Amino acid sequence: GIQVEQSPPDLILQEGANSTLRCNFSDSVNNLQWFHQNPWGQLINLFYIPSGTKQNGRLSATTVATERYSLLYISSSQTTDSGVYFCACPGAGSYQLTFGKGTKLSVIP
Amino acid sequence: EAQVTQNPRYLITVTGKKLTVTCSQNMNHEYMSWYRQDPGLGLRQIYYSMNVEVTDKGDVPEGYKVSRKEKRNFPLILESPSPNQTSLYFCAAGYNSPLHFGNGTRLTVT
């Protein structure tokens, strides 16, 4: 099946800093999503982004499907951005979603 | 409001006692899925369903059953739970659209 790798595994930021999280995948995809799991365990969809670039407030995401990676940008980070960020996608011809292991982000005041 | 509702939120049970975790969605999505989340292993898909009466195995289906008799509901059944099924479980709906998760069910099997 498809391999999904996220980097870095852990990230500590000062409030106000910017960051880039990366998701590499081993197969062509037609569906890629980013999620945030907050400290209370809730999983929130941030972006459905099979290709191109999207922005939502301080967050934006870019997927370059031909090069098999996606990036999540967080600007002017806030303590409420803390948590774990996951990307997920299916393999070519598959409906089975595979998640990366996540990037744990800690934003400190 | 788009919603995926799973119940119960917390469940403690004993080995071998059958249990069902319910999941329902109000978004009319054809695709629904179940995941378990374990420390160090991340989120792994248990089963998914592409439509009513159509289900398929994910990465870790052993010890679980599902059914999809109607579009909005997708229950997860553990016929004979074992301690290695102690985990945090999530139901989700959506596929070629933003995937929405329920709030999770923390299951402990003693």
Side-chain angles (χ1 to χ4, degrees), chain A residues 33-73:
Chain A
Q33 311 206 25
W34 283 96
F35 302 88
H36 175 223
Q37 187 168 36
N38 63 28
W40 296 271
Q42 290 179 307
L43 280 158
I44 307 298
N45 190 289
L46 298 175
F47 293 102
Y48 167 73
I49 184 164
S51 64
T53 297
K54 288 187 178 179
Q55 179 147 13
N56 184 1
R58 296 180 297 103
L59 273 58
S60 64
T62 295
T63 296
V64 184
T66 52
E67 297 188 23
R68 301 183 181 176
Y69 73 88
S70 183
L71 301 174
L72 178 69
Y73 305 96

Side-chain angles (χ1 to χ4, degrees), chain A residues 30-31 33 35 37 40-45 48 86 90 94-101, chain B residues 31 35 37 40-43 45 48 50 57-59 88 90 95-99 101 103:
Chain A
N30 58 8
N31 178 343
Q33 311 206 25
F35 302 88
Q37 187 168 36
W40 296 271
Q42 290 179 307
L43 280 158
I44 307 298
N45 190 289
Y48 167 73
F86 294 100
S94 169
Y95 288 94
Q96 183 179 330
L97 280 171
T98 298
F99 281 72
K101 295 262 192 310
Chain B
Y31 188 98
Y35 303 83
Q37 186 175 27
L41 297 176
L43 280 151
Q45 194 173 51
Y48 62 96
M50 288 157 52
K57 297 177 182 178
D59 291 317
L88 179 59
F90 288 98
Y95 183 78
N96 286 322
S97 61
L99 188 71
F101 281 92
N103 283 332

